[in-house]
Each structure stands twice: as C-alpha cells, then as structure tokens.
C-alpha cells in the first residue's frame, strides 16, 4: 500500500510503503494484553497469521478459544491481508 507523504512544499512529495493494519478486538480476560482497551490497531505483514498477531500482542495462543475475522469463524493459522476486523475470545471455564 502506497501512502503519500508531503513535505513543506508541493515539490517535496514522496511516497512510502505503509504497513497494512487490522483492528483486533480482545474480549474478557484477554483485554489485559491491550492495556484494558477493547480494541487495538495492529500493523501486519500481508499473509501474517492470527497466531503471529497474538505473539506480537503478547497473548498466549492457548488462552484463546474463539476467533473471528470479519465476523466469520477463523483459526490460529488463518492469514490476514490488512483492513480486517479480528475478534478474539478467551476460553471461559464453567461448571
């Protein structure tokens, strides 16, 4: 993805490669990995997996149970390209 970067005058324009971004929504106990925020924006490399994003955020993959990409069920090996919304839910114990 190319992004225009402008200098002080119109003759000083240049282009840089901008990293694709995703929005990651963390639920329940996983919010502690986002500083308590319900969602974070994460820069990714195209083809990066959910597992790699979790590692980038410091979230242990074994603490996740349900994953959605753009409201569709996904898994740890699902690949991302950018501009996706990712929802990650923790395992919830019950009796």
């Amino acid at each position: 993805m190319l992004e225009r970067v402008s200098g002080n005058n119109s003759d000083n324009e240049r282009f840089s490669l901008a990293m694709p971004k995703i929005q990651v929504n963390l639920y329940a106990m996983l919010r502690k990995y986002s500083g308590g925020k319900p969602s974070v924006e994460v820069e990714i490399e195209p083809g990066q997996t959910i597992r790699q994003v979790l590692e980038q955020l410091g979230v242990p993959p074994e603490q996740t149970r349900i994953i959605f990409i753009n409201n569709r069920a996904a898994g740890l090996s699902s690949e991302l390209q950018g501009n996706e919304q990712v929802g990650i839910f923790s395992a919830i114990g019950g009796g």
Side-chain angles (χ1 to χ4, degrees), residues 26 30 33 51 54-64 88:
L26 297 170
L30 296 178
Y33 297 101
R51 181 182 295 278
L54 292 174
E55 290 170 0
Q56 191 174 336
L57 293 172
V59 178
E62 64 274 4
Q63 290 187 10
T64 65
I88 303 174

Side-chain angles (χ1 to χ4, degrees), residues 17 22 33 35 38 46 48 56-57 68 71 76-77 83 87:
L17 290 175
I22 60 170
Y33 297 101
Q48 192 168 335
Q56 191 174 336
L57 293 172
F68 290 100
N71 299 317
L76 292 171
S77 61
N83 298 316

Side-chain angles (χ1 to χ4, degrees), residues 22-78:
I22 60 170
Q23 181 177 332
V24 179
N25 302 310
L26 297 170
Y27 297 93
M29 63 165 278
L30 296 178
R31 286 194 179 164
K32 67 183 178 185
Y33 297 101
S34 64
K37 294 184 265 181
S39 67
V40 291
E41 189 172 74
V42 178
E43 289 185 343
I44 63 160
E45 295 277 343
Q48 192 168 335
T49 65
I50 294 289
R51 181 182 295 278
Q52 292 169 316
V53 169
L54 292 174
E55 290 170 0
Q56 191 174 336
L57 293 172
V59 178
E62 64 274 4
Q63 290 187 10
T64 65
R65 178 68 60 190
I66 301 169
I67 301 168
F68 290 100
I69 300 174
N70 295 334
N71 299 317
R72 294 181 178 237
L76 292 171
S77 61
S78 297

